[in-house]
Every structure is written in C-alpha cells, then in structure tokens.
C-alpha cells in the first residue's frame, strides 16, 4: 500500500466522502479567483483571508517547498440550492472531518500547509488586523479561494469529481505535505 492509499483511507475514516493525491504542480494562482474573496464578510478580518494571508506571489513561494498533497471532499444531499440548514450541516461535518484529519497529519507532517473551503475557524475571533500575530499559526487554515485556486479546476486536474449532480453540495480542502 502506498503512502497516498493510507492517507486516503485515513481521510475516509475521518468522515470525508472522497480523497485523492494532489499534484502541487497543477496549482494555478489566479488573481480573478482571489478577487472574488472581496465579497466575503471575512475579507480583511482574518490572518487566513486577504489581505492577511499574503499576496498570490507569497502563496506561490510557500507552495514551492511542498512535494505533494492530499485533496479531501465532503459531499452531501440538500433539498435544493436554498436549503441553508442542509448546507450548514454539511459544512460543519466537513469542518469536523478536516480538523480531525489535519490533527492526524500534523503528527507526520508538522510543516503541512492546510487550505480549505471558506475562512479559518480555529478561533472565535481573529487577532487580525490588530497587529497581533495569529494565536495558532500551526493550525491556521487558509481558504483555497483566497490563495487564488479555482477549486473545481484543482479537482479536475487531480482526478477528483467536483460536481455530483443537482441537489448536492461539495466542500473541498487540501493539505500540502513536505
């Protein structure tokens, strides 16, 4: 069994629907995707969101030290695109699975870079922009979109299904590993 097979099995034990190896060379940092983050209420309020997470060039430089990664996904059914309770339920499940897997991977990859759907939720309130450092930089989770990553393209470039049909929602995250 390969290292990725073991990580994929671990991801599924943590509650993810799917997982796949991530080829870091497929990551493209798009200013257009990053610009979409400005509509998010977390923009300008977190170390893990723009501008606190750094520029696209800084993110590109961070990523170059990683040799591979793991994509993870939680897929769930919703009644329709306005089923906010269902969307939130699946987002919470994804977040719990993500934290569980991140904590497990940190034991073997202490320098991993965690990127997920949405903003970091490690702390109730972020120290940004109070000129105080992040309380838990080792547990910080940066949004894939904040990094300029077009998530559906990252999935397709790494053989992970992104769209699962109508009345479904998928949350995606990844871990870059040294």
């Amino acid at each position: 069994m390969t290292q990725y097979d073991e990580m994929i099995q671990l991801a599924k034990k943590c509650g993810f629907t799917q997982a796949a190896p991530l080829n870091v060379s497929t990551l493209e940092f798009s200013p257009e995707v990053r610009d979409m983050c400005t509509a998010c209420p977390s923009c300008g309020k977190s170390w893990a969101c723009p501008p606190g997470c750094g520029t696209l060039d800084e993110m590109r430089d961070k990523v170059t030290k990683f040799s591979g990664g793991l994509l993870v996904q939680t897929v769930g059914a919703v009644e329709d695109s306005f089923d906010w309770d269902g969307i939130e339920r699946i987002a919470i499940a994804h977040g719990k699975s993500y934290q569980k897997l991140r904590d497990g991977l940190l034991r073997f990859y202490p320098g991993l870079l965690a990127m997920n759907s949405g903003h970091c939720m490690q702390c109730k309130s972020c120290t940004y922009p109070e000129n105080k450092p992040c309380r838990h930089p080792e547990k910080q989770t940066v949004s894939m979109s904040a990094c300029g990553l077009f998530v559906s393209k990252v999935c397709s470039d790494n053989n992970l299904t992104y769209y699962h049909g109508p009345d479904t929602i998928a949350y995606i995250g990844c871990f870059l590993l040294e």
Side-chain angles (χ1 to χ4, degrees):
M1 185 180 313
T2 69
Q3 181 180 5
Y4 279 111
D5 289 338
E6 292 171 6
M7 285 191 287
I8 289 168
Q9 285 182 1
L10 178 60
K12 290 182 178 181
K13 284 181 186 174
C14 289
F16 290 104
T17 309
Q18 295 189 72
L22 172 64
N23 180 344
V24 175
S25 70
T26 65
L27 300 181
E28 298 174 17
F29 301 88
S30 165
E32 293 81 13
V33 173
R34 172 75 177 254
D35 289 346
M36 288 189 285
C37 284
T38 59
C40 177
S42 296
C43 186
K45 297 178 182 169
S46 169
W47 285 110
C49 294
C53 63
T55 67
L56 290 183
D57 287 336
E58 289 169 334
M59 186 53 64
R60 220 178 268 113
D61 289 344
K62 276 186 189 179
V63 167
T64 59
K65 75 176 187 175
F66 296 97
S67 57
L70 183 69
L71 269 173
V72 293
Q73 182 182 68
T74 304
V75 179
V78 293
E79 290 179 23
D80 56 38
S81 58
F82 298 103
D83 179 7
W84 301 115
D85 291 337
I87 292 168
E88 183 177 12
R89 174 182 42 79
I90 297 161
I92 289 169
H94 177 79
K96 287 179 180 178
S97 297
Y98 194 86
Q99 287 184 355
K100 190 175 184 180
L101 182 58
R102 183 197 60 217
D103 291 346
L105 290 174
L106 276 170
R107 288 183 277 148
F108 303 101
Y109 302 97
L112 69 79
L113 176 60
M115 293 187 276
N116 202 7
S117 302
H119 63 281
C120 183
M121 295 185 289
Q122 186 62 42
C123 302
K124 281 189 176 185
S125 65
C126 187
T127 58
Y128 188 88
E130 300 171 15
N131 293 326
K132 295 178 184 174
C134 174
R135 291 181 198 100
H136 304 285
E138 74 286 355
K139 293 184 177 181
Q140 184 186 83
T141 301
V142 179
S143 163
M144 290 178 73
S145 297
C147 296
L149 300 176
F150 190 33
V151 178
S152 63
K153 185 170 182 347
V154 173
C155 289
S156 65
D157 288 349
N158 289 279
N159 302 309
L160 185 70
T161 302
Y162 179 77
Y163 180 68
H164 296 272
D167 300 330
T168 62
I169 189 164
Y171 288 93
I172 316 296
C174 68
F175 300 94
L176 301 185
L177 312 168
E178 294 179 285

